[in-house]
Amino acid sequence: MAESARPTSPPRVPAQQPPPLAHPRRWWALCVLGLAQLMILLDSTIVSVAMPSLQTELGMADGDRPWVVTSYTVAFGGLLLFAGRIADHAGRTRVFVSGLVGFAVASAAAGAAPTAQALFAARAVQGAFAALLAASALALVATSFPDPAERRRAIAVFGALGGAGASLGVVLGGVLTQGFGWRWCLLVNVPIALVALLGAAWMPRDRSPRVYGRVDVSGAVLGCGGLTALVYGCSRAEADGWAAPSVLGALLGGAALLVAFGVRQTRAAVPLLPPKLVRDRGRVAALLAGGALMMSQLSVSLFLTYYLQTVLGWSAMAAGLGFLPISIVTTATATQLGTRLLPRFGPRVMMTAGLCISAGGLCQLTLLGPESAYLTSVLPALATFSVGLGGSFLAIMNAATTGVPAQDAGIASAVVNSVQQVGGSIGSAVFNTVAASAAAAFHGGMRAATLHGFTVAVRYPMGVLLLAAAATATLGRSRRRAPDAVRADERMGP
């Protein structure tokens, strides 16, 4: 008799993990994290207006003046990668709180500095703790919002607050310098950091997995050293020129260290920057776009600062108010338009279109003349530039952080910030150098020469934006940024 057939059980399908629940205090966390981001970028521009009175009181030489900004940016940009990995190892909330405390103490020391050297040292410490804040804050935003739609809105608000900080720094710097003195441009960070520190006590606990094992110290030395050398070389190029031995040495040395860093990461057991994060061509496209946007944004800030005060004769406070449309339009575009269009068109289309629109705004700036009015000529150019900025920013952050394992969120956020910091340093150095050379070669009055220099210089970031748009359109295809692909990536979580 034939053996009776045994009933076969269906293949066992592994149970799907339920999506993580959203914490009820996640929007409170966004407010605290956004306040910290606002403070970081506020501090990068607020001292610009106070520079003349600061230099007079401390008896600072003209050659030492750039160090007020350089000491901050070099430490900030150079330590971002290391700060991101520390956040992944030690816990992002812990690193965020430590960054707030350290930034408040360093700001108080900078505001009370009795000498220029003490100010430079305090500003460097500020930059180091700003790196801890920047690397941990964006990672906490990405991991606190498991829902893709909410994450898009959160990133848009977070980025808009940071952009507002850069613009409001000029306004607040003028008010504080005229009303209370230059020291309050630094001391104002203390109450802001304390408010954020109190708010951090009610933030949701970060339950993301951590990275275990020893930190790649050799990689940290190579990566941070390379970024520090690049940022330093670019910052010194404004005063010493690109052909100066110190500048060339810093740039070449930084490039060599970064090449060695890349080789080291392929061999380290626990790499500082996991190679898988930069093997995705779509993510590389987002990083290129982010660097190009920061380069153009700082160039526009320099352009407006000098154009409004030197050509139009505005006061420092009025010139600061002239920056506000950038913050308003960028915020509205990112939060209202970008969050709706990104799921439909995907990051590749949004980044490419945004970069091209911003390049159009810079093209409008090249047409300005000595008699151009702010409302009819400058404001439309700023609006065009800001629409592209807001439309592409959210897509850049989404493409750079979506699909990253939760334990690597800190280093992924640090890479985005590092690229933007280096891009901004290179952009401001190139812009200032080209503008000064073009103005010196122009035969005419001071106002006309200044305007000519800036309209020539602004063509360089415009060209960089167009090149970045071409790279984004090409490289972004590797991730097939169709709407279905976007939704599939978002289901992976941050």
Side-chain angles (χ1 to χ4, degrees):
M1 187 173 64
E3 185 179 356
S4 59
R6 296 180 179 178
T8 59
S9 59
R12 182 176 298 175
V13 178
Q16 293 185 353
Q17 295 293 332
L21 297 177
H23 199 282
R25 293 199 300 271
R26 62 194 181 280
W27 293 106
W28 171 262
L30 179 63
C31 294
V32 177
L33 298 171
L35 182 62
Q37 179 74 353
L38 180 93
M39 178 182 65
I40 294 171
L41 293 180
L42 184 79
D43 201 68
S44 64
T45 57
I46 195 171
V47 296
S48 300
V49 180
M51 199 72 74
S53 56
L54 178 155
Q55 183 180 2
T56 301
E57 182 173 333
L58 296 182
M60 190 184 304
D62 290 340
D64 293 335
R65 183 173 55 193
W67 281 103
V68 177
V69 177
T70 301
S71 56
Y72 179 84
T73 57
V74 167
F76 183 28
L79 294 174
L80 271 168
L81 283 182
F82 189 46
R85 215 33 162 176
I86 289 177
D88 289 334
H89 277 265
R92 295 171 198 108
T93 302
R94 182 181 301 174
V95 170
F96 178 75
V97 170
S98 300
L100 285 174
V101 174
F103 198 88
V105 173
S107 298
T115 63
Q117 288 71 26
L119 176 62
F120 300 155
R123 289 283 287 168
V125 177
Q126 269 188 306
F129 283 104
L132 293 176
L133 286 173
S136 56
L138 179 57
L140 285 170
V141 172
T143 56
S144 298
F145 292 87
D147 180 70
E150 284 194 346
R151 192 187 313 129
R152 286 193 297 270
R153 290 196 294 271
I155 291 177
V157 172
F158 180 80
L161 286 173
S167 300
L168 291 175
V170 183
V171 181
L172 187 59
V175 173
L176 292 175
T177 301
Q178 292 183 14
F180 304 96
W182 67 267
R183 293 185 182 274
W184 275 99
C185 293
L186 298 163
L187 294 174
V188 70
N189 294 316
V190 177
I192 297 176
L194 291 178
V195 170
L197 189 61
L198 291 175
W202 284 273
M203 284 174 51
R205 182 179 177 184
D206 180 29
R207 299 184 181 274
S208 301
R210 300 182 187 178
V211 174
Y212 293 97
R214 298 178 62 183
V215 178
D216 181 18
V217 177
S218 300
V221 172
L222 293 172
C224 296
L227 288 175
T228 300
L230 285 182
V231 175
Y232 172 78
C234 293
S235 62
R236 293 305 303 169
E238 301 179 33
D240 301 339
W242 291 97
S246 58
V247 174
L248 288 176
L251 295 179
L252 293 176
L257 288 173
L258 289 180
V259 170
F261 169 75
V263 174
R264 167 66 185 173
Q265 297 313 287
T266 62
R267 301 175 180 176
V270 184
L272 187 73
L273 175 60
K276 62 184 177 182
L277 294 183
V278 292
R279 285 175 184 155
D280 190 300
R281 295 175 61 190
R283 186 170 291 116
V284 172
L287 296 177
L288 290 175
L293 271 183
M294 182 59 69
M295 180 182 296
S296 63
Q297 186 177 7
L298 287 185
S299 298
V300 169
S301 298
L302 291 169
F303 185 101
L304 279 183
T305 299
Y306 285 92
Y307 179 81
L308 296 179
Q309 296 187 53
T310 304
V311 178
L312 298 186
W314 288 18
S315 65
M317 190 179 301
L321 293 174
F323 279 82
L324 289 182
I326 298 179
S327 300
I328 295 172
V329 177
T330 300
T331 302
T333 305
T335 57
Q336 303 302 319
L337 190 62
T339 54
R340 291 176 171 83
L341 295 182
L342 181 61
R344 179 176 300 180
F345 296 106
R348 181 173 71 92
V349 173
M350 292 292 291
M351 285 189 291
T352 304
L355 291 169
C356 291
I357 293 173
S358 291
L362 296 187
C363 183
Q364 291 175 266
L365 289 179
T366 64
L367 304 178
L368 293 179
E371 306 303 325
S372 297
Y374 177 83
L375 290 178
T376 57
S377 298
V378 179
L379 187 58
L382 297 183
T384 304
F385 175 78
S386 302
V387 167
L389 190 66
S392 55
F393 171 81
L394 180 58
I396 290 169
M397 292 300 176
N398 185 83
T401 58
T402 296
V404 175
Q407 64 268 22
D408 293 326
I411 189 63
S413 303
V415 171
V416 177
N417 283 291
S418 297
V419 170
Q420 291 179 335
Q421 186 69 23
V422 173
S425 299
I426 295 174
S428 61
V430 171
F431 185 85
N432 273 338
T433 303
V434 174
S437 300
F442 185 79
H443 300 287
M446 180 179 176
R447 291 175 66 244
T450 300
L451 179 60
H452 173 74
F454 286 121
T455 52
V456 170
V458 82
R459 298 171 187 172
Y460 285 79
M462 181 178 68
V464 170
L465 286 177
L466 294 176
L467 290 175
T472 300
T474 304
L475 294 175
R477 291 177 181 175
S478 66
R479 296 183 70 176
R480 297 189 300 274
R481 305 315 300 175
D484 291 341
V486 174
R487 287 190 286 270
D489 276 351
E490 288 175 338
R491 286 193 293 271
M492 295 173 60

